[in-house]
C-alpha cells in the first residue's frame, strides 16, 4: 500500500523530504534478479561444495544485479532492482511462493504487487528447486512425531525453514579497522597455513575459498557503484553543457546551474568514497557509514534472515565522527543528513514471507536494530555527541527502520533520558530501553567475558548478543504456544485443535483432586514440549548448516576465520540461543483462575469449566461463567503475588527443563552452546491465539494471546507501576532471550515537562530497583487508532509499536490492528 508523507516534513532538508516521499509512496513489489542468478549458479556448479557454491552465487549476484543511485541520495546501495522490492530466495522454499503468487496483492496486510513478467519468470524458475529447498530438507530431518507436533502448530519453526537465520550483529569495528583488503589478507594467511592432507583442513580450505570469493564479490559490488556515480557525474556535466549551448531558459537559471554542479560534486564524492572502501579501510565518517551500510545490505542479499542489526553504531563510528568534526571535514548538520539517508536506505530493504508466517511478523519488519548509549567496556557512560545525533535523526524521520534501542544504566545522563522521552512522545514507538543493570550480569553468569558483556547490543527486537562474537539466533528459533500446552494439560494430554495426544497425561481437570495435581500435570506436559522444541530446533539447525551456510556473515564474526568454520559449524566465540514462548500472561491468569475459582472457592465446577471451554462459553450460563473468570480471578500485571508467583512457578518449570539441553554447536568450539528462555514473541500472539481454543482466563477461542511478557489486554487495571512490579517477579536473569514489555500511554500522559520527568523517574525505578529487563512505549490514543482504521488514507504515515518493533499501522492486517487497539492505555 502506498504511504503518503503528511506530517513534520517541513523540518527536513529538501533532499530528505524528496527521498522520503519517493520511497514511502512506492508500492512494495518483488524482484526476480537474485532468484534468476542463484538458479543459474546452482545449475552450473552442482558438484561444488555447498559453501563454495553459495559464495559463487552471492558474488555473481553482486556482479550482475542492477545497481542504482537515486536522484539526490548520498548513501548508495540497493537490495533489488527497485526500491521496496523484495528479492526471492528460492533455496529456502518455493512451494509457498507458487501457491500464493496470485494472492500477494490481495493480502489483508503486508501486500506486495508483482508485475506479470516477474510472476511468469518465477513460475519458470522455481520448479528447479523442488526437492532441494531448506524447508523440504529440514522437515525430512524431523522425527515423525516432531514433524506432527510442528504441523499441529503447538511449536512452529516455519520462519527458520523459509528464510535465513538473521538475529545477529557482525563486527563493524573490525570491518572498519581492516577494510576489505585487510579481511582478504587475513583469510589468505589462514589459507596458506593449511595442511591439505588433513580432513579438517580440507574443509577449512573450502570455507576460506568461499570467503575469498565472497569478499572479492563485495569489492566488485562497491566498485560498480563508484562507476555508476562517475557515469552519472559525466551525464550531469554533459546535460549542463547542452543546456548552456541551447541558450534556452534553463541556461539562464543560475540556481539550476548551482544545483547541477553541486550534484556532480556529490556524485564524484560518492565515487571516491566507493573506490576507497572497495579495498582499503575508510578514512572519514562518511566513508565508514557507507561501508557499514554496504555490509548491512549485502548480509541481507546473502540471506533473507531478518534482525540483521548494526550493533552499537554510536560507538564504532564515533572515532571517525570525532576526528572529522575536529578537523572541519564534517559538521553536525551534514552528519545528521547522512544518518537520515542511511535510515531511508534501511527502509528500502524489504522481505516477503509466506502468509502463514507473515502473521507472526506483521508490518513487514526487518528489525534492523541500532543500539546507542549504555556503558563502555570500562563501565563508564558511553553517551557521546554521535549518540544524540542518531537519536535525533531517528526521531526526525519517524520510520519503522531502524529499530532503535537505548542501553540504560544508572549513570545514564538525565539530559539524554529527557531527549529519549521527547522522541518517544512523537508516538512511533522508539526508542526502546534495555537495562544494563540486569543484562550484563546475566551475560557474565552465562560465561561471557566481562569486557564482552559490557559491549552487548540489542539484536532485532529486544534480544541481546555481543556484536561480532555471537552465533546466529540469540533468539527466534521457534515459537511455543503455551496456551495449547495448558489446554492439553487439562485434557489428559489431548490437543483438541489437532485431535492428537502427543504426550499422554495423568488425567484431566475433572480427575484432579487438588490444584497441586494440576501443576504436576502441567510440569509433565511442559517438560515434553520443551524437549520437543529442542528436537525441532536441532533438525532445523542441521538443515541450515548443511544447505545454506552464510559466508560473508561468518567472515565478520570471531572466531570463524581463526577456526575455519562457518557460524553454523561452531565458528563463533559464543553461541547461546532461545526460542520464543507465547502467551505468558494467559498461562498465569488461567492457572490462577483454576486455583482460585475451582479449587479454593469452588465457584466453578471442574467439568463445568471444561465444558465451557469446549463450547467457547456459548450456551446457557456460558457468558456468566466467562465474566466470573475475567473479573473474579487474580490477573498478572496488578502486582498480585497470588498470580505472579504462580506464573513464575509454571514458566520456571519450562526454563528449568530447557536448561538441560544444548544446541548443535555445543562442544564444537563456542562458549555456551546452551538454551535460555525468551518472550520477544513479535506479533505471533495474534496467529497463536487464532490456533487455540478458549482458555480458563476467560479469553475466547481464536482471539489473540497476550503479547511478550506484557499483561493480557485490559487485565492490567492498577497502572504502569503495578505492571512493572509483576513483570519484575519473573526470573529475568534466566530469560536472556528477552523480557519484552509493551506499555501504551495516551499522548496527554506525557504532555508537560513534569509528566515527562515523572515517566523518567518511573523507568529509572523499574530498572534500578526492580531490575526490569526492558520497556517500550506506544504513545498514541485509542481514538487516533480507530480513526486510522476507518480512514487509512488520512493516516498513512502513522507508525505504531507492534511488539519489539514498529510498523506502519495501515499496512497491518485488521486482527493485528485490533490487538494493538485493545491494549490497556495507562495514565501516569
Amino acid at each position: 500500500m502506498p504511504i503518503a508523507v503528511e506530517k513534520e516534513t517541513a523540518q527536513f532538508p529538501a533532499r530528505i523530504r524528496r527521498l522520503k516521499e519517493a520511497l514511502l509512496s512506492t508500492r512494495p513489489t518483488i524482484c526476480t534478479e537474485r532468484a534468476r542468478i542463484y538458479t543459474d549458479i546452482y545449475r552450473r556448479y552442482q558438484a561444488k561444495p555447498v559453501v563454495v557454491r553459495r559464495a559463487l552465487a552471492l558474488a555473481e549476484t553482486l556482479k550482475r544485479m542492477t545497481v542504482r543511485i537515486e536522484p539526490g541520495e548520498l548513501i548508495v546501495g540497493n537490495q533489488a532492482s527497485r526500491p521496496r522490492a523484495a528479492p526471492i530466495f528460492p533455496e529456502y522454499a518455493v512451494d509457498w511462493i507458487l501457491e500464493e503468487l496470485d494472492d500477494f496483492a490481495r493480502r489483508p496486510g503486508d501486500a506486495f504487487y508483482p508485475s506479470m513478467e516477474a510472476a511468469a519468470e518465477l513460475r519458470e524458475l522455481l520448479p528447479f528447486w523442488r526437492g532441494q529447498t531448506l524447508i523440504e530438507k529440514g522437515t525430512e530431518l524431523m522425527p515423525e512425531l516432531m514433524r506432527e507436533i510442528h504441523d499441529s502448530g503447538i511449536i512452529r519453526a516455519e520462519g527458520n525453514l523459509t528464510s535465513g537465520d538473521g538475529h545477529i550483529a557482525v563486527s563493524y569495528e573490525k570491518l572498519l579497522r581492516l577494510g576489505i583488503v585487510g579481511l582478504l589478507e587475513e583469510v589468505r594467511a589462514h589459507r596458506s597455513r593449511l595442511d591439505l592432507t588433513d580432513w579438517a583442513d580440507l574443509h577449512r580450505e573450502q570455507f576460506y575459498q568461499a570467503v575469498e570469493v565472497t569478499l572479492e564479490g563485495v569489492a566488485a559490488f562497491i566498485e560498480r557503484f563508484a562507476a555508476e556515480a562517475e557515469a552519472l557525474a559525466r551525464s550531469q556535466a554533459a546535460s549542463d553543457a547542452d543546456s548552456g549551448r541551447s541558450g534556452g531558459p534553463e541556461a539562464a537559471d543560475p540556481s539550476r546551474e548551482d544545483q547541477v554542479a553541486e550534484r556532480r560534486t556529490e556524485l564524484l564524492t560518492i565515487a571516491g568514497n566507493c573506490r576507497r572502501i572497495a579495498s582499503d579501510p575508510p578514512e572519514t565518517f562518511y566513508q565508514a557509514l557507507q561501508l557499514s551500510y554496504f555490509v548491512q545490505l549485502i548480509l541481507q542479499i546473502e540471506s533473507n534472515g531478518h534482525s540483521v542489526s548494526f550493533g552499537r553504531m554510536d560507538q564504532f563510528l564515533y572515532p571517525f565522527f570525532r576526528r572529522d568534526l575536529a578537523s572541519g571535514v564534517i559538521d553536525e548538520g551534514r552528519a545528521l543528513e547522512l544518518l537520515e539517508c542511511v535510515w531511508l536506505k534501511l527502509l528500502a530493504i524489504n522481505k516477503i514471507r509466506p502468509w502463514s508466517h507473515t502473521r507472526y511478523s506483521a508490518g513487514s519488519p526487518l528489525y534492523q536494530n541500532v543500539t546507542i548509549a549504555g556503558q563502555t567496556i570500562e563501565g563508564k557512560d558511553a553517551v557521546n555527541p554521535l549518540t544524540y545525533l542518531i537519536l535525533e535523526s531517528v526521531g526526525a524521520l519517524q520510520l519503522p527502520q531502524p529499530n532503535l534501542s537505548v542501553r540504560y544504566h544508572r549513570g545514564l545522563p538525565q539530559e539524554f533520558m529527557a531527549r529519549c522521552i521527547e522522541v518517544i512522545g512523537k508516538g512511533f514507538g522508539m526508542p526502546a530501553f534495555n537495562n544494563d543493570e540486569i543484562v550484563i550480569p546475566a551475560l557474565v553468569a552465562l560465561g561471557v567475558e566481562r569486557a564482552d558483556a559490557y559491549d552487548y547490543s540489542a539484536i532485532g527486537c529486544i534480544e541481546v548478543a555481543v556484536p561480532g562474537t555471537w552465533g546466529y539466533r540469540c533468539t527466534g528459533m521457534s515459537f511455543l504456544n503455551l496456551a495449547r500446552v495448558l489446554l492439553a494439560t487439562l485434557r489428559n494430554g489431548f490437543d483438541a485443535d489437532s485431535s492428537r495426544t502427543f504426550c499422554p497425561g495423568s488425567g484431566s481437570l475433572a480427575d484432579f483432586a487438588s490444584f497441586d495435581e494440576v501443576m504436576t500435570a502441567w510440569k509433565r506436559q511442559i517438560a515434553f514440549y520443551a524437549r520437543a522444541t529442542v528436537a525441532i530446533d536441532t533438525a532445523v539447525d542441521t538443515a541450515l548448516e548443511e544447505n545454506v551456510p552464510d559466508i560473508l556473515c561468518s567472515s565478520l564474526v570471531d572466531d570463524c576465520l581463526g577456526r575455519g568454520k562457518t557460524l553454523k559449524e561452531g565458528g563463533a566465540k559464543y553461541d547461546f540461543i532461545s526460542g520464543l514462548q507465547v502467551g505468558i500472561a494467559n498461562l498465569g491468569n488461567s492457572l490462577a483462575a483454576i486455583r482460585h475459582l475451582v479449587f479454593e472457592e469452588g465457584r466453578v465446577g471442574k467439568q463445568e469449566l471444561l465444558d465451557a471451554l469446549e463450547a467457547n462459553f456459548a450456551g446457557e450460563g456460558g457468558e456468566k461463567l466467562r465474566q466470573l473468570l475475567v473479573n473474579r480471578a487474580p490477573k498478572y500485571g496488578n502486582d498480585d503475588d497470588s498470580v505472579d508467583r504462580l506464573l513464575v512457578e509454571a514458566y520456571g518449570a519450562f526454563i528449568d527443563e530447557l536448561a538441560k539441553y544444548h544446541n548443535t554447536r555445543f562442544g564444537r568450539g563456542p562458549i555456551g552452546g546452551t538454551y535460555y528462555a525468551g518472550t520477544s514473541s513479535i506479533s505471533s500472539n495474534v496467529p497463536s491465539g487464532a490456533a487455540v481454543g478458549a482458555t480458563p482466563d476467560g479469553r475466547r477461542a481464536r482471539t489473540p494471546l497476550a503479547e511478550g511478557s506484557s499483561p493480557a489486554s485490559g487485565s492490567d487495571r492498577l497502572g504502569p507501576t503495578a505492571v512493572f512490579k509483576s513483570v519484575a517477579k519473573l526470573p529475568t536473569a534466566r530469560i536472556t532471550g528477552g523480557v519484552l514489555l509493551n506499555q501504551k500511554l495516551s499522548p496527554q500522559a506525557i504532555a508537560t515537562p513534569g509528566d515527562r520527568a515523572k515517566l523518567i523517574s518511573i523507568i529509572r525505578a523499574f530498572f534500578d530497583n526492580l531490575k526490569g529487563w526492558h520497556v517500550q512505549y506506544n504513545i498514541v490514543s485509542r481514538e487516533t487508532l480507530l480513526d486510522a482504521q476507518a480512514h487509512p488514507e488520512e493516516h498513512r504515515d502513522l507508525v505504531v509499536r507492534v511488539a519489539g518493533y514498529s510498523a506502519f499501522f495501515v499496512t497491518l492486517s485488521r486482527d493485528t490492528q485490533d490487538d494493538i487497539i485493545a491494549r490497556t492505555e495507562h495514565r501516569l
Side-chain angles (χ1 to χ4, degrees):
M1 178 182 296
I3 303 169
V5 180
E6 300 171 358
K7 66 179 183 180
E8 298 199 28
T9 54
Q11 66 180 302
F12 297 131
R15 178 201 315 277
I16 299 300
R17 184 169 63 251
R18 287 195 301 268
L19 290 172
K20 182 178 179 182
E21 290 172 349
L23 179 61
L24 298 187
S25 62
T26 300
R27 294 204 311 180
T29 186
I30 59 174
C31 174
T32 59
E33 287 187 343
R34 185 190 183 281
R36 182 190 315 137
I37 298 167
Y38 267 63
T39 303
D40 177 34
I41 296 301
Y42 268 65
R43 278 177 170 150
R44 286 165 54 190
Y45 296 106
Q46 294 187 47
K48 292 280 189 186
V50 65
V51 68
V52 176
R53 192 186 328 152
R54 284 190 63 74
L56 290 168
L58 176 60
E60 192 68 14
T61 298
L62 296 176
K63 292 172 184 175
R64 287 166 50 183
M65 66 178 283
T66 299
V67 297
R68 303 185 327 274
I69 297 178
E70 305 295 341
E73 69 179 5
L74 300 175
I75 297 292
V76 299
N78 53 276
Q79 179 202 27
S81 54
R82 293 180 59 190
R84 300 288 291 155
I88 298 297
F89 293 73
E91 66 270 36
Y92 296 100
V94 296
D95 285 347
W96 74 267
I97 302 171
L98 294 169
E99 291 166 3
E100 299 182 26
L101 188 54
D102 291 336
D103 295 322
F104 285 167
R106 292 193 289 269
R107 289 178 167 186
D110 302 309
F112 286 79
Y113 302 88
S115 67
M116 293 178 62
E117 294 78 12
E121 184 174 16
L122 289 177
R123 289 191 175 94
E124 177 185 346
L125 290 173
L126 298 187
F128 163 79
W129 294 92
R130 282 187 167 136
Q132 54 182 324
T133 61
L134 175 69
I135 193 168
E136 292 167 292
K137 295 184 177 183
T139 303
E140 287 299 321
L141 277 172
M142 292 181 195
E144 183 176 357
L145 178 61
M146 297 301 109
R147 191 183 316 155
E148 291 171 353
I149 292 171
H150 180 265
D151 291 345
S152 77
I154 298 175
I155 300 170
R156 292 297 293 169
E158 182 182 11
N160 303 19
L161 292 168
T162 58
S163 70
D165 269 297
H167 297 83
I168 200 165
V170 300
S171 180
Y172 283 100
E173 184 279 328
K174 180 177 181 180
L175 169 71
L176 300 180
R177 175 167 43 85
L178 297 181
I180 303 298
V181 67
L183 290 170
L184 278 168
E185 288 172 355
E186 181 178 342
V187 173
R188 289 163 181 161
H190 285 303
R191 198 174 179 185
S192 69
R193 293 191 287 269
L194 295 177
D195 176 1
L196 297 185
T197 67
D198 180 81
W199 178 90
D201 274 5
L202 177 62
H203 286 79
R204 292 188 183 98
E205 156 67 17
Q206 295 165 7
F207 172 62
Y208 291 138
Q209 179 187 346
V211 174
E212 272 199 60
V213 168
T214 297
L215 291 175
E216 288 168 354
V218 170
F221 185 63
I222 298 174
E223 287 279 7
R224 294 181 67 201
F225 281 93
E228 178 69 8
E230 289 166 347
L232 288 172
R234 288 194 297 270
S235 175
Q236 289 272 334
S239 174
D240 193 33
D242 288 344
S243 296
R245 285 192 296 268
S246 71
E250 291 180 345
D253 184 355
S255 64
R256 183 187 180 281
E257 292 178 3
D258 291 345
Q259 291 170 6
V260 170
E262 180 182 2
R263 184 56 182 162
R264 186 164 61 247
T265 300
E266 289 174 352
L267 288 165
L268 292 174
T269 299
I270 290 169
N273 287 344
C274 290
R275 293 287 182 208
R276 169 76 192 187
I277 63 178
S279 57
D280 297 316
E283 295 179 311
T284 67
F285 174 77
Y286 191 174
Q287 291 172 359
L289 191 60
Q290 177 67 77
L291 180 57
S292 299
Y293 170 71
F294 267 132
V295 168
Q296 173 74 7
L297 171 71
I298 298 169
L299 288 171
Q300 293 174 92
I301 296 173
E302 177 177 48
S303 160
N304 68 337
H306 58 244
S307 301
V308 178
S309 299
F310 272 108
R312 305 184 71 190
M313 182 181 267
D314 63 334
Q315 303 303 303
F316 65 75
L317 285 177
Y318 184 57
F320 296 92
F321 175 73
R322 181 182 61 228
R323 186 167 59 243
D324 284 3
L325 199 63
S327 63
V329 171
I330 201 170
D331 59 28
E332 289 191 352
R334 183 61 162 182
L336 186 72
E337 187 177 35
L338 289 172
L339 288 167
E340 289 173 346
C341 284
V342 172
W343 309 151
L344 289 166
K345 296 298 287 185
L346 293 186
L347 190 64
I349 300 172
N350 211 348
K351 174 177 178 173
I352 187 167
R353 302 164 170 91
W355 175 243
S356 56
H357 188 61
T358 294
R359 299 187 69 208
Y360 283 70
S361 297
S364 297
L366 268 296
Y367 315 95
Q368 299 173 92
N369 204 300
V370 168
T371 300
I372 57 175
Q375 299 170 80
T376 67
I377 60 174
E378 295 83 16
K380 298 179 181 178
D381 177 54
V383 172
N384 60 50
L386 184 57
T387 311
Y388 280 95
L389 274 185
I390 291 173
L391 177 65
E392 180 181 347
S393 62
V394 173
L397 280 177
Q398 298 180 49
L399 295 173
Q401 295 295 311
N403 198 12
L404 184 65
S405 294
V406 167
R407 277 182 44 182
Y408 172 89
H409 65 100
R410 287 179 183 270
L412 197 66
Q414 188 74 357
E415 178 189 356
F416 182 72
M417 280 291 291
R419 293 284 285 275
C420 288
I421 300 304
E422 288 177 10
V423 173
I424 287 171
K426 294 175 182 287
F428 69 114
M430 297 188 213
F433 293 98
N434 280 14
N435 185 13
D436 284 8
E437 308 295 336
I438 184 68
V439 174
I440 291 173
L443 294 178
V444 171
L446 287 173
V448 176
E449 294 176 12
R450 182 176 176 84
D452 287 338
Y454 270 89
D455 201 34
Y456 85 88
S457 72
I459 306 292
C461 292
I462 66 158
E463 54 269 31
V464 298
V466 181
T469 66
W470 213 274
Y472 270 134
R473 291 282 179 183
C474 55
T475 194
M477 280 303 301
S478 56
F479 296 82
L480 173 62
N481 191 323
L482 295 176
R484 288 276 290 275
V485 179
L486 176 63
L487 291 182
T489 299
L490 303 179
R491 294 167 174 151
N492 199 26
F494 178 72
D495 175 61
D497 282 278
S498 63
S499 298
R500 292 290 306 275
T501 299
F502 296 111
C503 175
S506 52
S508 72
L509 176 62
D511 303 319
F512 298 144
S514 69
F515 183 73
D516 286 345
E517 292 184 18
V518 175
M519 292 302 292
T520 298
W522 160 258
K523 291 173 182 178
R524 173 187 177 91
Q525 292 291 323
I526 199 61
F528 171 83
Y529 284 106
R531 183 179 179 85
T533 295
V534 176
I536 289 170
D537 289 351
T538 299
V540 173
D541 260 347
T542 302
L544 285 160
E545 177 182 340
E546 294 177 350
N547 295 284
V548 286
D550 291 329
I551 316 307
L552 177 61
C553 191
S554 296
S555 72
L556 290 168
V557 175
D558 289 337
D559 192 24
C560 290
L561 292 182
R563 294 177 184 156
K565 292 182 175 183
T566 66
L567 283 162
K568 282 296 186 186
E569 293 174 313
K573 181 176 181 179
Y574 305 107
D575 203 312
F576 301 90
I577 61 175
S578 82
L580 300 170
Q581 298 82 56
V582 188
I584 306 297
N586 302 100
L587 171 63
N589 292 346
S590 293
L591 288 171
I594 293 170
R595 182 172 67 180
H596 183 67
L597 295 175
V598 175
F599 288 98
E600 292 179 348
E601 294 190 352
R603 299 178 68 178
V604 178
K606 291 180 284 186
Q607 190 61 52
E608 178 188 14
L609 179 57
L610 289 174
D611 292 343
L613 296 178
E614 185 174 355
N616 194 22
F617 303 110
E620 184 177 356
E623 179 59 20
K624 181 178 179 180
L625 173 58
R626 194 182 78 83
Q627 290 298 326
L628 192 65
L629 297 170
V630 169
N631 297 309
R632 298 300 180 185
K635 296 291 187 289
Y636 166 76
N638 297 290
D639 190 24
D640 186 333
D641 278 351
S642 67
V643 58
D644 297 345
R645 297 302 178 191
L646 186 56
L647 174 56
V648 169
E649 180 184 355
Y651 192 25
F654 171 81
I655 296 171
D656 290 341
E657 189 66 24
L658 197 64
K660 300 176 183 178
Y661 302 104
H662 50 74
N663 64 37
T664 62
R665 276 82 65 203
F666 181 78
R668 299 166 71 184
I671 295 168
T674 53
Y675 273 85
Y676 42 62
T679 72
S680 180
S681 55
I682 50 181
S683 64
S684 66
N685 64 302
V686 177
S688 294
V692 64
T695 44
D697 56 351
R699 176 195 145 272
R700 292 189 185 277
R702 316 302 161 199
T703 59
L705 298 174
E707 179 265 335
S709 67
S710 306
S713 295
S715 66
D716 43 339
R717 301 168 180 171
L718 299 182
T721 303
V723 174
F724 282 165
K725 290 181 177 179
S726 284
V727 172
K729 295 171 193 173
L730 294 171
T732 51
R734 302 181 65 200
I735 310 176
T736 318
V739 187
L740 189 151
L741 175 60
N742 250 320
Q743 291 212 321
K744 185 176 170 184
L745 299 175
S746 69
Q748 291 73 31
I750 57 170
T752 70
D755 293 332
R756 293 190 287 274
K758 185 176 181 181
L759 179 58
I760 292 172
S761 296
I762 293 172
I763 293 172
R764 285 194 182 275
F766 178 49
F767 285 150
D768 294 345
N769 303 329
L770 298 176
K771 296 293 186 281
W773 176 285
H774 159 273
V775 70
Q776 60 196 25
Y777 289 93
N778 253 326
I779 312 291
V780 59
S781 70
R782 176 183 174 84
E783 291 73 23
T784 297
L785 297 176
L786 289 171
D787 193 62
Q789 271 194 330
H791 306 100
E793 70 283 353
E794 298 177 12
H795 298 271
R796 291 180 176 177
D797 60 340
L798 176 62
V799 176
V800 297
R801 197 74 177 184
V802 179
Y805 66 96
S806 294
F808 290 108
F809 184 76
V810 299
T811 67
L812 300 172
S813 61
R814 181 73 180 215
D815 53 1
T816 303
Q817 291 179 346
D818 288 342
D819 179 57
I820 294 169
I821 292 169
R823 294 174 187 171
T824 305
E825 186 175 296
H826 287 292
R827 299 183 182 276
L828 298 179

